[in-house]
Amino acid sequence: MADKQPLLQVEHLCKEFPVDSGVFASRMAKKVSAVDDVSFSIDVGETFGLVGESGCGKSTTGRCIMRLTAPTGGKVIFNGQDVAQLKKKDLKHARHDMQYIFQDPYASLNPRMTIGEIVSEPLVIHGEMGSNEERMDYVRKLLDIVGLNPEHINRYPHEFSGGQRQRVGIARAFALHPKLIICDEPVSALDVSIQAQVLNLLGELQKEYGTAYLFIAHDLSVVQHISDRVAVMYLGNLMEQSDWRTLYSEPYHPYTQALLSAVPIPNPDIQKSRERIILAGDPPSPIDPPTGCRFHTRCPIATAECSQKKPPMEEVAPGHFCACWHAEPFPIKGTSIKL
């Protein structure tokens, strides 16, 4: 029996941004390597968490998948089509099944449009439903599903709270019943109590519609509660990838271990065995990233090999992948580094 094809397959994705160095810049202009050789896949109905600190390239990865930002290299295979190679008309059809929930619930909604106009806009763009009355009836149902009052359909975004605005964004993303939704830190701008409500809503909608999520976040405790598999990103590279239970209980990469050492773990036995790992220095500049492993300048167990050769992403356990020359289960051997 042939293996089931993933809904989304990202292969060696790269994105570089040119750096404007001014009038007297040399011809050899520098570039910011935001995403460098990133590969992963997402199955139908699966939630794939992508975590890492600010500036590591998570959001750029999501935007490249939707082709809101054109990738520099690599492939994004969605429903058997390479999104990076699609013409304008074909890309529009692909986006019918691939939607985006933006990070900022304040900036992602047009202040001059009513909630009804915002949520129905995907229907208008893709020619769904014949009349405006049909679309508005459907929007009212969507608003009710996401926990908003359907009678507020003619209100404007400024009349809603942050949590309510994010629900509007979720309703807009689900309007076309897409197969994949890219959730770009959808709860980071919300209060903790509202975060739980939005996460529960996303889980309920996934069960009802079978939608797959790429869930981008920097909060590992949030990703833990919603993801089936998790990948950890650092300075444009993927460091580790596994199902969430394995990743949280037995991380192999020193960077993942450092991140998780600060996150409360439900299992008290695991939590007691962990010591807080403080990383030295700050993340390097993506304009001039380190050679070899990009984490080696802050890694407590780095050797000369780490600065010379980039480690490949290898399977260290069934379904568990790690890019490290010295990958070992938690805890790592040391917690200090001499630069």
Side-chain angles (χ1 to χ4, degrees):
M1 184 176 178
D3 292 336
K4 183 176 65 173
Q5 292 296 317
L7 175 66
L8 175 72
Q9 193 161 356
V10 179
E11 300 177 357
H12 308 292
L13 183 67
C14 297
K15 178 59 184 178
E16 295 178 340
F17 295 96
V19 177
D20 185 3
S21 300
V23 178
F24 301 103
S26 65
R27 292 185 179 180
M28 295 296 292
K30 292 185 177 181
K31 297 179 179 179
V32 174
S33 182
V35 179
D36 183 19
D37 197 21
V38 167
S39 300
F40 60 87
S41 63
I42 301 177
D43 293 328
V44 175
E46 181 185 27
T47 299
F48 187 87
L50 185 60
V51 301
E53 55 195 303
S54 298
C56 71
K58 308 183 301 296
S59 295
T60 301
T61 299
R63 295 179 70 85
C64 285
I65 291 171
M66 277 285 290
R67 223 174 92 181
L68 299 176
T69 299
T72 305
K75 294 182 179 180
V76 178
I77 311 297
F78 177 71
N79 260 351
Q81 294 181 303
D82 187 354
V83 176
Q85 302 299 323
L86 293 179
K87 302 297 182 182
K88 188 174 181 180
K89 184 177 180 181
D90 295 329
L91 180 61
K92 177 182 176 181
H93 289 313
R95 285 177 174 166
H96 182 283
D97 293 325
M98 183 167 45
Q99 293 291 306
Y100 207 101
I101 298 175
F102 294 91
Q103 177 177 356
D104 190 346
Y106 297 90
S108 61
L109 304 180
N110 190 331
R112 295 180 177 85
M113 296 174 67
T114 65
I115 298 304
E117 292 171 336
I118 289 171
V119 177
S120 66
E121 190 174 23
L123 304 173
V124 175
I125 292 173
H126 291 277
E128 300 278 336
M129 303 183 182
S131 65
N132 186 60
E133 289 76 15
E134 287 179 303
R135 287 193 291 269
M136 289 302 110
D137 287 340
Y138 178 63
V139 169
R140 289 186 180 91
K141 293 178 182 178
L142 279 175
L143 293 179
D144 184 54
I145 288 172
V146 300
L148 295 174
N149 190 338
E151 296 178 2
H152 296 166
I153 193 170
N154 293 318
R155 291 189 177 184
Y156 289 86
H158 73 269
E159 300 179 75
F160 293 85
S161 67
Q164 289 174 323
R165 292 186 200 191
Q166 197 60 291
R167 289 173 184 267
V168 172
I170 293 171
R172 177 176 59 184
F174 271 96
L176 296 170
H177 292 175
K179 296 178 181 179
L180 171 70
I181 294 181
I182 299 173
C183 307
D184 187 1
E185 305 212 29
V187 298
S188 63
L190 307 177
D191 293 336
V192 175
S193 59
I194 306 301
Q195 285 183 8
Q197 295 175 16
V198 172
L199 290 174
N200 290 337
L201 173 61
L202 288 171
E204 292 168 4
L205 292 173
Q206 185 178 49
K207 289 179 182 178
E208 183 172 351
Y209 297 108
T211 309
Y213 294 144
L214 170 59
F215 196 93
I216 299 170
H218 63 265
D219 189 337
L220 282 87
S221 59
V222 168
V223 174
Q224 176 184 357
H225 292 293
I226 196 169
S227 300
D228 299 307
R229 289 187 297 133
V230 179
V232 178
M233 197 169 187
Y234 179 83
L235 208 64
N237 288 171
L238 290 188
M239 300 286 107
E240 190 165 3
Q241 185 180 153
S242 180
D243 67 275
W244 77 266
R245 290 184 183 277
T246 302
L247 190 80
Y248 280 70
S249 62
E250 196 173 30
Y252 270 70
H253 199 284
Y255 178 62
T256 310
Q257 295 172 5
L259 290 180
L260 291 175
S261 71
V263 178
I265 303 296
N267 189 326
D269 295 329
I270 296 175
Q271 185 64 36
K272 288 179 182 178
S273 67
R274 293 192 169 176
E275 293 182 5
R276 183 75 174 93
I277 301 173
I278 308 297
L279 295 178
D282 297 317
S285 169
I287 298 177
D288 187 22
T291 58
C293 176
R294 292 195 171 181
F295 183 61
H296 84 264
T297 58
R298 305 175 70 197
C299 181
I301 58 173
T303 62
E305 182 183 27
C306 301
S307 63
Q308 297 166 1
K309 295 188 296 182
K310 181 179 179 180
M313 183 71 77
E314 294 182 331
E315 191 169 19
V316 294
H320 190 165
F321 299 86
C322 181
C324 179
W325 292 117
H326 310 292
E328 291 183 2
F330 193 92
I332 57 178
K333 297 177 182 178
T335 59
S336 63
I337 182 172
K338 295 180 180 179
L339 297 178

